[in-house]
Amino acid sequence: ILNVEQSPQSLHVQEGDSTNFTCSFPSSNFYALHWYRWETAKSPEALFVMTLNGDEKKKGRISATLNTKEGYSYLYIKGSQPEDSATYLCAFNTNAGKSTFGDGTTLTVKP
Amino acid sequence: DAGVIQSPRHEVTEMGQEVTLRCKPISGHDYLFWYRQTMMRGLELLIYFNNNVPIDDSGMPEDRFSAKMPNASFSTLKIQPSEPRDSAVYFCASQGGSYEQYFGPGTRLTVT
């Protein structure tokens, strides 16, 4: 059983605040780590895929880092906006093909 | 590419009826996943296929649930007989070599 844990479970911030949350995953048999953004009443959409220790990815105000040796990834949002409100899921892959998802961090950005 | 296509988008049925959900994955993707989203359990993996072959169906809740993938471009998830507790949003996702999953829009099932 692969445990993928995300923290915190939920987060409320004010518009303009910067925030970050964590995904922890097994450090053995690592193949890839994904971040997804899931808005209410929509389907999850891929944000980043990271495969190498030390990877850093950035898309606008959102960025992510990866540490495969210790088994964690951080997602950062700089200057949060109300439209950033969503659940952020991480998913861990070994090379077996199946992704194991965390339970997500639900971010609410208040105007 | 139109992305992952699911039908119907909404289904309302009475308890005891058979329900069939359909999915067309992205062409060229060799993995297909069926998920269920509920308030209580979040996103649950029900079953997944690799090259049309079911690999892991341990998430299928009961024998009332079955899934097939007769070819690379089509999969079905069937519930027979349906029960009110099956009410949820069912997502299909397909995956290629990068292991990044592309989700369909979901089917919202309501069983009364």
Coordinates of all heavy atoms in Angstrom, one line a residue, chain A residues 46-87:
Chain A
A46 N -4.2 18.7 -14.8 CA -2.8 18.6 -14.5 C -2.1 19.9 -14.4 O -2.3 20.8 -15.3 CB -2.1 17.7 -15.5
L47 N -1.3 20.1 -13.4 CA -0.5 21.4 -13.3 C 1.0 21.1 -13.6 O 1.5 21.7 -14.5 CB -0.5 21.9 -11.8 CG -1.7 22.7 -11.4 CD1 -1.6 23.0 -9.9 CD2 -1.8 24.0 -12.2
F48 N 1.5 20.1 -12.9 CA 3.0 19.8 -13.1 C 3.2 18.3 -13.1 O 2.5 17.6 -12.4 CB 3.8 20.4 -12.0 CG 3.7 21.9 -11.8 CD1 3.2 22.4 -10.6 CD2 4.1 22.8 -12.8 CE1 3.1 23.8 -10.4 CE2 4.0 24.1 -12.6 CZ 3.5 24.6 -11.4
V49 N 4.2 17.8 -13.8 CA 4.7 16.5 -13.6 C 6.2 16.7 -13.3 O 6.9 17.4 -14.1 CB 4.4 15.6 -14.8 CG1 4.9 16.2 -16.1 CG2 5.1 14.2 -14.5
M50 N 6.7 16.0 -12.3 CA 8.1 16.1 -11.9 C 8.7 14.7 -11.8 O 8.1 13.8 -11.2 CB 8.3 16.9 -10.6 CG 7.9 18.4 -10.8 SD 8.1 19.3 -9.3 CE 6.8 18.7 -8.4
T51 N 9.9 14.5 -12.3 CA 10.5 13.2 -12.3 C 11.9 13.1 -11.7 O 12.3 12.1 -11.3 CB 10.6 12.7 -13.8 OG1 11.3 13.6 -14.6 CG2 9.2 12.5 -14.4
L52 N 12.6 14.3 -11.6 CA 13.9 14.2 -11.1 C 14.1 14.9 -9.7 O 13.5 16.0 -9.5 CB 14.9 14.9 -12.1 CG 14.9 14.3 -13.5 CD1 15.8 15.2 -14.4 CD2 15.5 12.9 -13.4
N53 N 14.9 14.3 -8.9 CA 15.1 15.0 -7.6 C 15.7 16.4 -7.8 O 16.6 16.6 -8.6 CB 16.2 14.1 -6.8 CG 16.4 14.7 -5.4 OD1 15.4 15.0 -4.7 ND2 17.6 14.7 -5.0
G54 N 15.1 17.3 -7.1 CA 15.5 18.7 -7.3 C 14.8 19.5 -8.3 O 15.0 20.7 -8.5
D55 N 13.9 18.8 -9.0 CA 13.0 19.4 -10.1 C 12.3 20.6 -9.4 O 11.8 20.6 -8.3 CB 12.0 18.5 -10.6 CG 12.4 17.9 -12.0 OD1 13.4 18.4 -12.5 OD2 11.6 17.1 -12.5
E56 N 12.2 21.7 -10.2 CA 11.4 22.8 -9.9 C 10.6 23.2 -11.1 O 11.2 23.3 -12.2 CB 12.2 24.0 -9.4 CG 12.9 23.8 -8.1 CD 13.6 25.1 -7.6 OE1 13.2 26.2 -8.0 OE2 14.5 25.0 -6.7
K57 N 9.3 23.3 -10.9 CA 8.5 23.7 -12.1 C 7.7 25.0 -11.7 O 7.4 25.2 -10.5 CB 7.5 22.6 -12.4 CG 8.1 21.3 -12.9 CD 8.6 21.5 -14.3 CE 9.3 20.3 -14.8 NZ 8.4 19.3 -15.4
K58 N 7.4 25.8 -12.7 CA 6.7 27.0 -12.4 C 5.7 27.3 -13.6 O 6.0 27.1 -14.7 CB 7.7 28.2 -12.3 CG 7.0 29.5 -11.9 CD 8.1 30.6 -11.7 CE 7.4 31.9 -11.2 NZ 8.4 33.0 -11.1
K59 N 4.5 27.8 -13.1 CA 3.5 28.2 -14.1 C 2.8 29.4 -13.5 O 2.0 29.3 -12.6 CB 2.5 27.1 -14.3 CG 1.4 27.3 -15.4 CD 0.5 26.1 -15.5 CE 1.2 24.9 -16.1 NZ 0.2 23.8 -16.3
G60 N 3.2 30.6 -14.0 CA 2.7 31.8 -13.5 C 3.1 32.0 -12.1 O 4.2 32.0 -11.7
R61 N 2.0 32.2 -11.2 CA 2.3 32.4 -9.8 C 2.5 31.1 -9.0 O 2.7 31.1 -7.8 CB 1.2 33.2 -9.2 CG 1.1 34.6 -9.7 CD -0.1 35.4 -9.2 NE -1.4 34.9 -9.6 CZ -2.1 34.1 -8.9 NH1 -1.7 33.7 -7.7 NH2 -3.3 33.6 -9.4
I62 N 2.3 30.0 -9.6 CA 2.3 28.7 -9.0 C 3.7 28.0 -9.3 O 4.1 27.9 -10.5 CB 1.2 27.8 -9.4 CG1 -0.2 28.5 -9.1 CG2 1.2 26.5 -8.7 CD1 -1.4 27.8 -9.6
S63 N 4.3 27.4 -8.3 CA 5.5 26.7 -8.5 C 5.5 25.4 -7.6 O 4.8 25.4 -6.7 CB 6.8 27.6 -8.3 OG 6.8 28.0 -6.9
A64 N 6.4 24.5 -8.0 CA 6.5 23.3 -7.2 C 7.9 22.8 -7.2 O 8.7 23.0 -8.1 CB 5.6 22.2 -7.8
T65 N 8.3 22.2 -6.1 CA 9.6 21.6 -5.9 C 9.5 20.1 -5.6 O 8.4 19.7 -5.1 CB 10.4 22.3 -4.8 OG1 9.7 22.1 -3.6 CG2 10.6 23.8 -5.1
L66 N 10.6 19.4 -5.7 CA 10.5 17.9 -5.5 C 11.8 17.5 -4.8 O 12.9 17.8 -5.3 CB 10.4 17.2 -6.9 CG 10.4 15.7 -6.9 CD1 9.2 15.2 -6.2 CD2 10.5 15.1 -8.3
N67 N 11.6 16.6 -3.8 CA 12.7 16.0 -3.1 C 12.4 14.5 -3.0 O 11.6 14.1 -2.2 CB 12.9 16.6 -1.7 CG 14.1 16.0 -1.0 OD1 14.4 14.8 -1.1 ND2 14.8 16.8 -0.2
T68 N 13.0 13.7 -4.0 CA 12.7 12.3 -4.0 C 13.4 11.5 -2.9 O 12.9 10.4 -2.6 CB 13.0 11.7 -5.4 OG1 14.4 11.9 -5.6 CG2 12.2 12.4 -6.5
K69 N 14.5 12.0 -2.4 CA 15.3 11.3 -1.4 C 14.6 11.2 -0.1 O 14.6 10.2 0.6 CB 16.7 11.9 -1.3 CG 17.5 11.7 -2.5 CD 18.9 12.2 -2.3 CE 19.8 12.0 -3.6 NZ 21.1 12.6 -3.4
E70 N 13.9 12.4 0.2 CA 13.2 12.4 1.5 C 11.7 12.2 1.3 O 10.9 12.1 2.2 CB 13.5 13.7 2.2 CG 14.9 13.8 2.6 CD 15.2 15.1 3.4 OE1 14.3 15.5 4.2 OE2 16.3 15.6 3.3
G71 N 11.2 12.2 0.0 CA 9.8 11.9 -0.3 C 8.9 13.0 0.0 O 7.9 12.8 0.7
Y72 N 9.1 14.2 -0.5 CA 8.2 15.3 -0.4 C 8.2 16.2 -1.6 O 9.3 16.4 -2.3 CB 8.3 16.0 0.9 CG 9.6 16.8 1.1 CD1 9.7 18.1 0.6 CD2 10.7 16.3 1.8 CE1 10.9 18.8 0.7 CE2 11.9 17.0 1.9 CZ 12.0 18.2 1.4 OH 13.1 18.9 1.6
S73 N 7.1 16.9 -1.8 CA 7.0 18.0 -2.8 C 6.2 19.1 -2.2 O 5.3 18.9 -1.4 CB 6.3 17.4 -4.0 OG 6.1 18.5 -5.0
Y74 N 6.6 20.3 -2.5 CA 5.9 21.5 -2.1 C 5.3 22.2 -3.3 O 5.9 22.3 -4.3 CB 6.9 22.5 -1.4 CG 7.5 22.1 -0.1 CD1 8.8 22.3 0.2 CD2 6.7 21.5 0.9 CE1 9.4 21.9 1.4 CE2 7.3 21.1 2.1 CZ 8.6 21.3 2.3 OH 9.2 20.9 3.5
L75 N 4.1 22.7 -3.1 CA 3.4 23.6 -4.0 C 3.3 25.0 -3.4 O 2.8 25.1 -2.3 CB 2.0 23.0 -4.4 CG 1.4 23.7 -5.6 CD1 2.0 23.3 -6.9 CD2 -0.1 23.5 -5.6
Y76 N 3.8 26.0 -4.2 CA 3.8 27.3 -3.7 C 2.8 28.2 -4.6 O 2.8 28.0 -5.8 CB 5.2 28.0 -3.8 CG 6.2 27.3 -3.0 CD1 7.0 26.3 -3.5 CD2 6.5 27.7 -1.7 CE1 8.0 25.7 -2.8 CE2 7.5 27.1 -0.9 CZ 8.3 26.1 -1.5 OH 9.2 25.4 -0.8
I77 N 2.1 29.0 -4.0 CA 1.3 30.0 -4.7 C 1.7 31.4 -4.2 O 1.5 31.7 -3.0 CB -0.2 29.8 -4.6 CG1 -0.6 28.4 -5.0 CG2 -1.0 30.8 -5.4 CD1 -2.1 28.0 -4.9
K78 N 2.1 32.2 -5.1 CA 2.6 33.6 -4.7 C 1.4 34.5 -5.0 O 0.9 34.5 -6.1 CB 3.8 34.0 -5.5 CG 4.4 35.3 -5.2 CD 5.7 35.5 -6.0 CE 6.2 36.9 -5.7 NZ 7.5 37.2 -6.5
G79 N 1.1 35.4 -4.0 CA 0.1 36.4 -4.2 C -1.3 35.8 -4.6 O -1.8 36.0 -5.7
S80 N -1.8 34.9 -3.7 CA -3.0 34.2 -4.0 C -4.2 35.1 -4.5 O -4.3 36.2 -4.0 CB -3.5 33.4 -2.8 OG -2.5 32.6 -2.3
Q81 N -4.9 34.6 -5.4 CA -6.1 35.3 -5.9 C -7.3 34.4 -5.7 O -7.2 33.2 -5.6 CB -5.9 35.6 -7.4 CG -4.7 36.5 -7.8 CD -4.9 37.8 -7.2 OE1 -5.9 38.5 -7.4 NE2 -3.9 38.3 -6.4
P82 N -8.5 35.0 -5.7 CA -9.7 34.2 -5.5 C -9.9 33.1 -6.5 O -10.3 32.0 -6.1 CB -10.9 35.2 -5.6 CG -10.2 36.5 -5.1 CD -8.8 36.5 -5.6
E83 N -9.4 33.3 -7.7 CA -9.5 32.2 -8.7 C -8.6 31.1 -8.5 O -8.6 30.0 -9.2 CB -9.3 32.8 -10.1 CG -7.9 33.5 -10.3 CD -8.0 35.0 -10.1 OE1 -8.9 35.5 -9.3 OE2 -7.2 35.7 -10.8
D84 N -7.7 31.2 -7.5 CA -6.8 30.1 -7.1 C -7.5 29.1 -6.2 O -7.0 28.0 -5.9 CB -5.5 30.6 -6.4 CG -4.7 31.4 -7.3 OD1 -4.6 31.2 -8.5 OD2 -4.0 32.3 -6.8
S85 N -8.7 29.5 -5.7 CA -9.5 28.6 -4.8 C -9.8 27.3 -5.6 O -10.4 27.3 -6.6 CB -10.7 29.3 -4.4 OG -10.5 30.5 -3.6
A86 N -9.3 26.2 -5.0 CA -9.5 24.9 -5.6 C -9.0 23.9 -4.6 O -8.4 24.2 -3.6 CB -8.8 24.8 -6.9
T87 N -9.1 22.6 -5.0 CA -8.4 21.5 -4.3 C -7.2 21.1 -5.1 O -7.3 20.9 -6.3 CB -9.3 20.3 -4.0 OG1 -10.4 20.7 -3.2 CG2 -8.6 19.2 -3.4

